[in-house]
Amino acid sequence: MERLAEYKALVDCAKQAAEAAYAPYSKTAQGAALLSADGKIFKGSKMECAAFGGAVGAETAALTAAISEGVRKFKAIAIHPSAYPSGASRQMLAEFGINLDVVVEKTDGQLEVINLKELLPLHFGPDNLS
């Protein structure tokens, strides 16, 4: 039950981050909240630009915020509205641990938790470089 309450709070933080998103082209405001192993939450908001390749996803923004604070170990990430991380975001998150929980809130309000390893089963990571 404690994990459920923790993940619900994480989804609420992702919703707050979505409110700050800059998405004039897609009109899809997206936010993410990344929970560190020591309980800190880092938020990120989607940021689009006219040169679409230069856009930053909410998951990447949250991860960048955490990394800029020196945090390298994570427990879970929530994304709002309900979505799974993009392929590129999955790979970046896997860099810091493949056993991250991905939390999404379904349209009925129920939380779905899926492990990053399930979303990226044959990931390429630091261990593949040796």
Side-chain angles (χ1 to χ4, degrees):
M1 194 59 146
E2 181 180 324
R3 182 178 95 147
L4 183 62
E6 184 176 53
Y7 286 0
K8 179 63 178 148
L10 195 63
V11 168
D12 290 342
C13 286
K15 288 177 181 179
Q16 291 172 1
E19 292 174 9
Y22 178 75
Y25 307 105
S26 71
K27 307 288 191 237
T28 303
Q30 189 176 47
L34 182 62
L35 178 63
S36 69
D38 64 356
K40 294 179 184 167
I41 295 175
F42 297 89
K43 294 189 282 187
S45 304
K46 180 180 186 178
M47 187 208 67
E48 296 177 344
C49 65
F52 292 124
V56 176
E59 312 93 305
T60 302
L63 181 60
T64 301
I67 296 303
S68 71
E69 296 293 324
V71 178
R72 303 288 189 270
K73 294 183 180 183
F74 306 102
K75 184 176 180 180
I77 188 166
I79 304 161
H80 179 80
S82 182
Y84 296 111
S86 69
S89 294
R90 291 175 194 191
Q91 186 62 50
M92 282 191 274
L93 291 165
E95 183 79 13
F96 300 96
I98 194 65
N99 288 313
L100 181 78
D101 282 340
V102 177
V103 183
V104 294
E105 184 178 41
K106 301 311 241 175
T107 55
D108 64 2
Q110 296 295 311
L111 298 186
E112 179 180 29
V113 179
I114 188 166
N115 195 272
L116 181 60
K117 191 170 188 172
E118 294 176 71
L119 295 175
L120 193 64
L122 299 173
H123 72 287
F124 183 90
D127 293 341
N128 298 106
L129 296 175
S130 54

